[in-house]
Amino acid sequence: LLSPVVVPASVWFFLGRIVHMQVGELFRGLIWMIVLPTVLGLTYHDLDKGRTASRFGPLLGLSSKLALVLVVATNLAVARGTITALEQAVLPVLGLIFAQTCLGFLLGWTAARLGRYHPPRVLAFAFGTGLRNISAGAALAVGYFPPAVGLPVILAFLLPQPLAAFFGHLFTRPVTSTAGS
């Protein structure tokens, strides 16, 4: 919900440029496409006590992964010319996005552990800081800037989900103690 304010403010702060956009329209779009479906889904899950999720989870998990592949493929196809033109920048940008995403997961996990939160809340902190919704950033990059600006945003679609799976596995594995062995 804050992206219509945070993104232009960040562009102004870091680049000294003012982005003129239809904040109200973007705000309505974010509510309609992100906030409302999330609230409805979480409410249904709580009322249903997770029965539907456990019953249809494997099928829905597969379809959501296929949809993610389609989103990434579409964005890569749109940016094909830019990626080809900026070929030398792709790997360093991908490395930076990889490091930033890993750092987000690790900082969230560390902060929650230092706060002595219970394990479910520790995971929520880790995922809340490691995952980002970059849809607004993609819309801004494509709509208001040259194609080269969209490169990091489009590449950022590739890493968060696989890294979330990795860190989810890492953070939930049982800790084995070697003390006394």
Side-chain angles (χ1 to χ4, degrees):
L1 283 176
L2 294 177
S3 63
V5 175
V6 171
V7 174
S10 299
V11 170
W12 174 79
F13 182 76
F14 289 111
L15 302 175
R17 300 264 176 122
I18 295 174
V19 177
H20 297 286
M21 51 193 264
Q22 298 174 341
V23 175
E25 190 62 35
L26 181 59
F27 190 73
R28 277 190 289 284
L30 290 171
I31 288 175
W32 184 251
M33 292 186 296
I34 297 169
V35 175
L36 189 60
T38 301
V39 169
L40 290 173
L42 291 172
T43 301
Y44 178 79
H45 182 271
D46 288 349
L47 293 174
D48 184 47
K49 300 193 185 331
R51 289 187 295 266
T52 301
S54 63
R55 192 175 308 136
F56 295 106
L59 175 64
L60 295 176
L62 176 62
S63 64
S64 69
K65 285 173 183 54
L66 291 173
L68 178 64
V69 167
L70 287 174
V71 167
V72 169
T74 302
N75 283 292
L76 287 173
V78 168
R80 185 174 147 252
T82 302
I83 291 172
T84 303
L86 300 172
E87 198 171 299
Q88 295 174 343
V90 171
L91 286 179
V93 169
L94 206 52
L96 185 61
I97 293 166
F98 176 81
Q100 178 190 24
T101 305
C102 289
L103 187 62
F105 281 110
L106 293 171
L107 286 175
W109 182 80
T110 302
R113 295 281 300 193
L114 290 173
R116 301 182 192 276
Y117 289 114
H118 294 292
R121 185 154 297 173
V122 171
L123 284 177
F125 264 78
F127 280 88
T129 56
L131 291 174
R132 296 168 307 285
N133 183 340
I134 58 173
S135 301
L140 285 172
V142 172
Y144 296 98
F145 295 97
V149 175
L151 177 66
V153 178
I154 291 167
L155 291 176
F157 274 107
L158 299 173
L159 293 176
Q161 298 302 326
L163 286 174
F166 170 75
F167 281 106
H169 175 72
L170 184 69
F171 294 153
T172 58
R173 68 186 168 100
V175 178
T176 57
S177 174
T178 57
S181 301

